Amino acid sequence: MFTSIGESKIPLVLLIVSSILNILMDLWMVAGLGLGVFGAALATLIAQGISAVLSFLIFIHRMRQYQSPFRWFERQELYSMLRIAVPSVLQQSTVSIGMMIVQAVVNPFGTQVENVFSLIFVSIGNAVSPYVSQNLGAKKPQRIKKGYHAALVLDASFAILAFVVIETLHTQISSLFLGKDGTAFAYQVSGDYMRWIGYFFIFMGIKMATDGVLRGLGIMRPFLVANMVNLAIRLAVALICAPRFGI
């Protein structure tokens, strides 16, 4: 909701505050009080709870500037939201499920690195959606096209940056996950996997930006079909080709 009214900095600040609070409480409850896993869980609960309450209070305060009638339940609005939300949830799930499938074929490390970089493109796609919706409501279709082009430029820039980072630092990145226990073969596999996916980040970026536009326009059927096809192809290629051709 903050993002949709152009206040994306507020959730970012709240996230930073809750993360710092979570870390401090982890240190106190786990290291200081010796509560172990329960202490870590309790620290997360308290930090997230405080963030949620602050977020809600700030949101209520900001909503006062919009003068409109308020009802607790609107069936038609709920239907409209679900029509967009359910395919979006499934789309996010296809990303995670796809990584789980590849993880079963390759190793846990490769998908962790892929997840770090893919979050960049997912976030750009998520930013495109409210931008498109806002300009659709304002009847400014030309701004939608400009926003889509800007998202593609961002995606291309980050794809090139990610590719350069992986090509030059793949061994150092591997060491962050594998450490001293990693074998030479493990380092080779992780490096090869990262360098291969580096070539295709640009396509991931284009897809996520386009998904964001479709979500913002409310065009959900092609959006859902495309993501189901995406998952099916990834599943088929990973399970059929990996045993025959390797990583």
Side-chain angles (χ1 to χ4, degrees), residues 74-124:
E74 287 277 0
R75 180 178 297 178
Q76 188 59 39
E77 293 300 323
L78 177 62
Y79 171 76
S80 299
M81 291 178 66
L82 289 176
R83 190 175 62 85
I84 296 175
V86 172
S88 298
V89 170
L90 292 175
Q91 184 258 343
Q92 298 287 344
S93 300
T94 59
V95 176
S96 301
I97 294 171
M99 289 181 181
M100 289 172 60
I101 293 167
V102 175
Q103 178 174 319
V105 177
V106 187
N107 67 353
F109 163 75
T111 53
Q112 291 173 15
V113 174
E114 182 182 351
N115 190 43
V116 170
F117 285 106
S118 67
L119 282 174
I120 298 172
F121 307 110
V122 170
S123 299
I124 292 173

Side-chain angles (χ1 to χ4, degrees), residues 163-205:
F163 176 79
V164 172
V165 169
I166 287 176
E167 281 291 316
T168 56
L169 300 173
H170 60 88
T171 302
Q172 291 85 342
I173 297 173
S174 299
S175 65
L176 294 174
F177 293 84
L178 298 175
K180 296 180 180 179
D181 298 329
T183 63
F185 180 69
Y187 273 94
Q188 179 185 344
V189 169
S190 62
D192 289 344
Y193 181 79
M194 279 192 293
R195 293 168 77 179
W196 265 104
I197 63 173
Y199 290 107
F200 301 98
F201 280 137
I202 182 64
F203 299 105
M204 181 187 296

